[in-house]
Amino acid sequence: MSSYAEFLEEKKKIDELYEKGYTITAVREDLSGAYLTFERSKLDLNDIEEKIELHILTADTRKYFSNLIIAQQKELI
Amino acid sequence: MHLNRVKDKKISLKDLRKNFSEFEPALTPKEAVEESNRCLYCYDAPCIKACPTGINIPSFIKKIASGNLKGSAKVIMEANPVGASCARVCPTEELCEGACVLNNASLPIMIGNLQRHATNWAIQNSEQLFQAGEANGKSVGIIGGGPAGLSAARELARLGYEVTIFEAKEKAGGLDTHGIVSFRLPQEISLWEVEQVEKLGVKIHTNTKVGRDIPVEEVMNNFDAVVLAAGMSKVPMLGIEGEEAEGVFDAIDFVENTKTPPLDQQFIGKKIVVIGAGNTAIDAATCSVRLGAGDVKMIYRRTESEMTAYEFEYEFAKQDGVEFRWLTQPIKIIKDKAGHVKALECVRMELGEPDDSGRRRPTPVAGSEFSMEVDAVIKAIGQTRYVNLIEELGLEHNRGVVKIDMNTHQTSNPKVYAAGDVIFGDGQGDAMVVTAAQQGKLTAYAIHKQLITDEATLESV
Amino acid sequence: MADLRVNFAGIKAPNPFWLASAPPTNSGYQVQRAFEAGWGGAVWKTLGEPILNVSSRFAGTHFNGQRVVGFNNIELITDRPLEVNLQEIYETKKKFPNHAVIASLMVEPKQEKWHEIVKKVQDVGVDGFELNFGCPHGMAERGMGSASGQVPELVEKQTYWAKEAAKVPVIVKLTPNITDITATAYAAVQGGADAVSMINTINSLAGVDIDTWKTIPNVAGKGAHGGYCGPAVKPIALNMVAECARNPEINVPISGMGGVSTWKDAVEFMLMGAGSIQVCTAAMHHGFSIVEDMVDGLNNYLDDKGIESVAGLIGQSVEKYSDWGHLDLNYKVVARINNDVCINCNKCHIACEDTSHQCIDMLTSENGNAYLEVREEDCVGCNLCSIVCPVDGAISMVEIPNGEPMTWNQRQEAIKLPICNS
């Protein structure tokens, strides 16, 4: 699989979580890549889990979520 | 051929031998390094695809650049057992150099000259580049020691066959040894290639014409397979009056006579007419000039655009001062009292409708006959076939063109394979040395497949 | 006609092209020939206690049939008595009063030695000094040259001693044989240097003869490391100039050298902060006349760009040189192949396929023509294909709009606390 396709797959997972109202609340990076913690506020909670962890492998996705974080920080400010 | 690299174009009447020494100078080591470094080392290079023998050209050029000349020569000769000759005689403009990607950006790499440089190194250093394979107990007889026969023999010997070549002439090498003008291809180059094959244990019986000096049956019975690679024969008769006159020559014989000393002095200052406009005709004309002829004309019944000689050969002849008379057909050779050629009677032609070959058919213009004074006439209107031999072998053929199965290289007799000029024509192959070499190689592999691989496969079943 | 004159730390010259301290500036005869040929200045071959040289001194690095892509030498400083050099410097300066004559100096790291040589040399009227803290071979074994130039304290002290006696500007020439050249450059500045120059030659062994197994060059069968220079070292030199130029603590002019062969190289060094340019290998390869095109090319370049004086070039690219952490991770270029120009050598394909990101496809069009195409989504914009492409204009690196910039440093800051409610 081309690395671009891998990126698209990972990006899709992140986008889906965002659509469901999740945001990235923590990033942990190590030799295996990046582990993102997604959370959404209790107000939006129906009956699904409120905390999800994603393991991100590709470099492009790691750039992508970093951009999302910066964008969300800008919004907050 | 790079005519611009030729420095000395003068013809010496005092020392004819000088006129026959190799015309284009070899690359100097500096030229070779500069030129080899100019090669882009393309991936999936078009020059390789354009070479009938598939020489890995970027590889051998890179090896020249790196100073690995032995490796370079080996890459060349591995793919083409007559690679030293081909370096000089291949129409590279139409093959590798024509395909070089640098044609579109600057100037194509002088692949032929680099190939000559690397193989010259091997010749000068007496390198034996290949070894015979472990004997496999099978034997192959090859009729004809020209490019196709040598090429087949070399590969078969490497595969472990006991190979015997039957060569009608005194020396093997065929066209490369006898038929290509010395100033393009000195005989010693071709003889080195013969020696390379001989050193693999291939027996070459020279002065041995199959059907004359050894019965056809003997050849057929003594080997597990036979390769017919006899090439082509003499120039056909013109079919005009006076053809038997003294001073009428066969172009093939004429060129062959210039390949070994002494050179004939009788043409100095003479008027020579060559009939035909193919590559052999050009060879005869340029040899005439080099033998000191005072006036050399080529006559051809069609025009410049129908001539079959390569463009660079035509250019070469023009530079040599050869005159071309188009739309001119010989009709009679006039002799003097001693039976020697005195004049050639011709008629002017005009082109009509296209014939079978797609070329416009020439027809005589009534009343246009004229005569020209000549001292010698050289016929170069194609070559005849060894039909007798082919028929004695009992092979199917079409006017001397032996039929083969393109996949197995077998003739109508499965024990007999054929390669080179004997199969050229009727849409089979090309009349180039390099094509003959490739056919020889492929024939060797085909034989191996039949005799060893298939047998092994059968045994393993 | 642009104004090519330079005033480098107070040293004036008709143009920025100076011969570096090296074999070409060994004598008055040579330096005067150089000035006649058009060189704007010359740094005299290093003066010091006369040494002894070996026979067999230089070696060239040749690549793919191209001679002297690099150059190695084991020659030491001047082997002539100081008085002979001084006499010739005096005569040269008299004949060429407007050209820059700079004396390169090397003595033991002792205050009195520096005072002595500086005083003696400046009496003949040099325009400046260049302290040789760079030669990596021979002299270094005796505690001079790069041996003292690798120790910031020694650089600072010796600069200070030279400055104590000098009435003309002092340039400190630095060795590249050090991990961080800004450390020694800073030491020079602390010592009071009016300018720094770089780079001296890089420790090198030019080669080994694969037939005799002797070093290249060899002296009676033995070799010792030399100093490497020539076109091959240009990127190393340019970086060192740039690193010093962008360091605010190294606030003195820089004389740039190392592989400058053409006016284009010189422009690059000037854009990265060099206020004058020194050249040696190119002159040794081709003779002094090469300066003619350096001057002419620079002049035409400045005219084309509408820049009135070389001063308008100096340092213009320095702010564009930074740390990796400040580069925009979102910036994206991709390769695009112009099939009208492409000659189908397939070098881009195999380079990408074997050694990069496998994104250049070899395809065949409907009419049977072979062509190459980049899968842009998989292209990381590494430039490799355009580097190996032999034809100008066949591959261009095209910028793809890709959102707001984000540097590594910004990213690392941002992901520490993804939700910062503060």
Side-chain angles (χ1 to χ4, degrees), chain B residues 33 37 40-44 46 101-102 104-105, chain C residues 64-65 343-347 349-350 362 390-391:
Chain B
V33 166
N37 275 306
L40 297 176
Y41 200 63
C42 295
Y43 175 71
D44 199 18
V101 298
L102 286 177
N104 303 326
Chain C
N64 283 357
I343 60 171
N344 290 89
C345 68
N346 302 327
K347 290 193 81 71
H349 163 81
I350 199 62
M362 289 172 71
V391 183

Side-chain angles (χ1 to χ4, degrees), chain B residues 297-365:
Chain B
K297 290 189 182 70
M298 293 183 65
I299 64 171
Y300 182 46
R301 61 200 176 115
R302 301 179 203 248
T303 71
E304 196 173 349
S305 41
E306 287 89 22
M307 71 187 291
T308 54
Y310 294 122
E311 185 64 32
F312 65 88
E313 294 279 18
Y314 178 38
E315 273 311 307
F316 180 57
K318 282 197 284 190
Q319 285 202 14
D320 257 9
V322 173
E323 270 183 59
F324 289 81
R325 294 288 169 87
W326 311 112
L327 294 168
T328 303
Q329 166 109 306
I331 48 176
K332 188 179 176 184
I333 292 169
I334 300 169
K335 296 179 277 189
D336 62 15
K337 283 176 191 157
H340 195 279
V341 174
K342 191 173 106 186
L344 183 66
E345 239 180 70
C346 301
V347 63
R348 298 232 179 276
M349 309 294 278
E350 58 185 5
L351 294 181
E353 295 302 306
D355 64 10
D356 297 346
S357 70
R359 297 181 299 180
R360 291 172 66 193
R361 185 191 295 278
T363 48
V365 179

Side-chain angles (χ1 to χ4, degrees), chain C residues 358-418:
Chain C
Q358 302 79 43
C359 67
I360 301 182
D361 294 327
M362 289 172 71
L363 303 167
T364 307
S365 69
E366 280 172 16
N367 52 19
N369 293 332
Y371 70 101
L372 293 146
E373 196 171 72
V374 179
R375 286 195 322 281
E376 292 185 4
E377 68 273 19
D378 285 322
C379 174
V380 302
C382 72
N383 291 344
L384 177 62
C385 55
S386 68
I387 291 167
V388 302
C389 178
V391 183
D392 285 343
I395 301 183
S396 34
M397 300 305 297
V398 184
E399 202 174 313
I400 304 290
N402 197 28
E404 292 292 300
M406 172 185 70
T407 70
W408 170 258
N409 293 349
Q410 287 168 339
R411 173 190 189 268
Q412 293 313 95
E413 198 53 43
I415 65 169
K416 267 187 213 161
L417 280 171

Side-chain angles (χ1 to χ4, degrees), chain B residues 106-144:
Chain B
S106 59
L107 289 170
I109 301 295
M110 291 193 278
I111 299 169
N113 277 331
L114 287 170
Q115 185 167 326
R116 182 173 154 191
H117 180 78
T119 49
N120 275 356
W121 184 91
I123 294 171
Q124 282 149 19
N125 289 277
S126 314
E127 284 285 345
Q128 177 62 29
L129 299 171
F130 303 98
Q131 274 73 46
E134 200 181 318
N136 63 26
K138 303 273 181 192
S139 65
V140 178
I142 298 177
I143 305 171

Side-chain angles (χ1 to χ4, degrees), chain C residues 27 41 52 67 82 176 226 255 273 415:
Chain C
S27 67
L52 295 173
R67 297 194 79 78
L82 186 64
S255 184
I415 65 169

